[in-house]
Amino acid sequence: MFQADRRDLSCQPSKLASPQEQDQPRLVQVPDADRQDMQFPDIWLRDNCRCKECYLPQTLSRLPQLWNHLDTSVRVLRQSVDLDQEVLCVEWSDGHASQYPLSWLRERDFSSANRQRYLRDFYRPEQKLWSGLDFEHMRQMFYYQELITCDSALQQWLHHLAVFGVALVKEAPLDMDVLRSLSNRVGFMRRTTYGEEFSVRAQPGASNYAYLAAPLPLHTDMPYFEYLPGVTMLHTLEQSASPGGVNLLADAFYVVEVMRERYSEQFRVLCQTPVDWADIGSDGDLHFHNIWRAPVINLDAEGRCVRINHSIPQRDSHFSVPVEQVRPWYEAMATFVGLAHEHSCRFKTTPGDVLTFDNLRLVHGRTGYDDTDRNVRHILGAFVDWDIVYSRLRVLRSASATSSSPDAP
Ligand code: OGA
Ligand code: ZN
Ligand code: ZN
């Protein structure tokens, strides 16, 4: 068991800067040949010292000692740039000395252009939102065998999925291992209360609404989970020969932007009204009672939409909000559902297709179909999580950047 070293953890009171000092950004200006000066807050530089007392290269991580009694009023006493070594040298008021490679500083420069570059190229690719009418233009096919054998095809698929929220994989074999093989190429499958792979087909007495032949209106999968699966994959093994079983898809983040612009009050209501999502039942031997309470539209700290929750069958009859919030929510939701339909697209997958989409962003569904003994629709589903997809994308990107660099062996 991990034994905490009490001496290390005995935090002395931090020395805090005075209220006037706290308002000062106190920037260290670093000249850089042929480029604009770089700027770094002094406290950030002190926190990110690269010496062996402050940083452990083998784990690529910061050591915590400085934070045992953080002096937020620490100041630069002297700074210089060693042009031969290409390093910034700093002496600090707490007696410490630091050196920072200029190349390392360039990647972390606080300029707006550099922050944007980092977010777009390293954090996550910028999402491009679409309406149903644009769908044909952004629709791109990927081929199963290429994804399994070729890293650059894999990278293109995951990048397209991150940017547009949907990608269609073609020519997968009609066997039960396809989703596992694809998931393993990304990292690993996400298990849920319905197991790892799940079969969507009409089942008499089904315990889940999706397992009926009835129309399945636009929804996100599993809104009743706090940690809902990020990417849904649906592999068509057999398609209904009846006119139904048509896929419906809409970019709900696009719908959110329409609402933000044109229906600002309904937008606010859908962002601020918590809704109870629920799934109660059993699958095999597992009995479950899942509830998650969250709005339909979920925004991040910068006001960007990061998650949609929506499923008519899986919205609980419990609605744990004050009564005066109920009717406005229904009014707002009617607008959202109407817009989602207006901006949706439809197509029908054929056996061997794997439809992959962002389950935080897109709403999906299918039209009803007729199933008989001779005409059986069978879709196999599975999930992977976005953390795993983004991680894989960054690893693929670094590997392709290294292999294409002129210095690579
Ligand atoms: C589901 C689902 C789609 C389909 O099972 O959640 O969205 O085409 N199925 O049957
Ligand atoms: Zn240090
Ligand atoms: Zn679904």
Side-chain angles (χ1 to χ4, degrees):
M1 208 179 104
F2 177 71
Q3 291 277 319
D5 180 338
R6 299 206 58 145
R7 282 164 310 161
D8 274 348
L9 294 178
S10 63
C11 281
Q12 295 169 16
S14 297
K15 190 172 167 220
L16 297 179
S18 70
Q20 293 85 344
E21 279 181 317
Q22 287 173 16
D23 293 341
Q24 301 299 318
R26 294 224 310 261
L27 300 176
V28 176
Q29 203 87 10
V30 182
D32 194 10
D34 304 332
R35 294 163 182 253
Q36 260 199 326
D37 287 2
M38 298 185 276
Q39 290 191 324
F40 304 95
D42 56 1
I43 184 91
W44 176 86
L45 275 175
R46 179 65 190 87
D47 179 40
N48 288 287
C49 175
R50 316 309 285 157
C51 86
K52 61 182 189 308
E53 275 172 50
C54 302
Y55 180 75
L56 188 62
Q58 75 194 60
T59 61
L60 303 176
S61 58
R62 182 180 298 112
L63 291 167
Q65 278 81 341
L66 180 73
W67 285 84
N68 288 345
H69 35 86
L70 182 70
D71 174 6
T72 62
S73 65
V74 71
R75 285 177 174 277
V76 174
L77 294 183
R78 262 177 293 281
Q79 73 173 85
S80 58
V81 172
D82 181 334
L83 288 174
D84 291 338
Q85 299 291 318
E86 285 250 312
V87 287
L88 167 71
C89 308
V90 178
E91 289 174 36
W92 297 100
S93 58
D94 62 3
H96 203 71
S98 309
Q99 291 201 340
Y100 308 86
L102 290 185
S103 57
W104 182 90
L105 286 171
R106 273 179 212 119
E107 287 170 17
R108 289 156 181 81
D109 178 18
F110 278 79
S111 69
S112 162
N114 190 53
R115 281 182 289 121
Q116 276 176 38
R117 177 198 61 83
Y118 168 75
L119 292 177
R120 207 186 41 237
D121 295 352
F122 281 89
Y123 179 54
R124 295 173 174 196
E126 198 176 344
Q127 294 181 333
K128 297 203 168 93
L129 309 187
W130 49 270
S131 98
L133 294 175
D134 309 326
F135 182 70
E136 284 308 318
H137 304 297
M138 42 104 341
R139 173 145 94 149
Q140 201 169 316
M141 316 281 197
F142 297 87
Y143 292 88
Y144 175 78
Q145 207 50 42
E146 287 183 27
L147 299 185
I148 297 299
T149 53
C150 169
D151 280 357
S152 81
L154 180 67
Q155 188 178 352
Q156 283 166 33
W157 168 47
L158 298 178
H159 185 267
H160 191 86
L161 189 58
V163 171
F164 295 102
V166 55
L168 190 62
V169 178
K170 301 291 288 182
E171 296 179 9
L174 302 182
D175 65 50
M176 306 291 273
D177 294 335
V178 158
L179 296 181
R180 183 163 300 277
S181 305
L182 276 180
S183 303
N184 289 345
R185 280 290 280 156
V186 179
F188 48 85
M189 220 176 230
R190 162 68 187 271
R191 187 174 172 177
T192 75
T193 35
Y194 290 92
E196 293 195 312
E197 292 103 332
F198 52 93
S199 270
V200 185
R201 58 180 149 194
Q203 294 165 17
S207 63
N208 186 296
Y209 192 84
Y211 300 165
L212 300 172
L216 188 57
L218 291 171
H219 66 281
T220 54
D221 286 337
M222 307 196 157
Y224 45 80
F225 277 143
E226 178 170 6
Y227 303 108
L228 89 171
V231 176
T232 303
M233 300 186 290
L234 297 175
H235 180 199
T236 305
L237 289 175
E238 288 179 74
Q239 183 54 283
S240 173
S242 75
V246 172
N247 303 82
L248 310 169
L249 216 50
D251 184 353
F253 283 10
Y254 178 90
V255 170
V256 166
E257 292 317 313
V258 172
M259 288 194 68
R260 198 197 299 261
E261 211 174 293
R262 282 202 249 141
Y263 305 94
S264 58
E265 181 51 21
Q266 287 99 321
F267 166 76
R268 187 198 62 73
V269 166
L270 292 189
C271 292
Q272 293 183 356
T273 311
V275 176
D276 303 77
W277 309 97
D279 191 36
I280 301 161
S282 57
D283 192 68
D285 292 340
L286 184 70
H287 293 264
F288 47 77
H289 192 141
N290 291 304
I291 306 179
W292 171 239
R293 186 169 177 261
V296 171
I297 301 176
N298 296 261
L299 306 179
D300 70 4
E302 290 165 310
R304 269 190 289 259
C305 191
V306 284
R307 168 172 174 174
I308 294 294
N309 294 311
H310 175 46
S311 171
I312 295 167
Q314 281 164 332
R315 183 161 43 74
D316 208 337
S317 47
H318 288 275
F319 197 178
S320 47
V321 295
V323 281
E324 62 276 12
Q325 290 185 23
V326 172
R327 177 157 284 281
W329 182 84
Y330 277 92
E331 301 287 356
M333 203 52 196
T335 305
F336 175 87
V337 169
L339 286 169
H341 276 284
E342 188 184 325
H343 294 288
S344 66
C345 60
R346 30 172 81 210
F347 53 92
K348 188 167 176 175
T349 55
T350 53
D353 288 354
V354 183
L355 177 62
T356 62
F357 57 86
D358 182 346
N359 185 47
L360 305 181
R361 165 176 168 187
L362 265 57
V363 284
H364 66 283
R366 58 142 203 266
T367 60
Y369 56 97
D370 294 323
D371 248 11
T372 62
D373 288 349
R374 293 165 157 269
N375 169 31
V376 176
R377 184 175 187 269
H378 188 189
I379 311 280
L380 210 60
F383 302 107
V384 288
D385 276 332
W386 273 114
D387 287 319
I388 309 307
V389 174
Y390 282 125
S391 161
R392 183 71 161 135
L393 259 178
R394 293 182 198 115
V395 170
L396 287 167
R397 187 180 180 281
S398 311
S400 66
T402 315
S403 65
S404 62
S405 116
D407 302 332

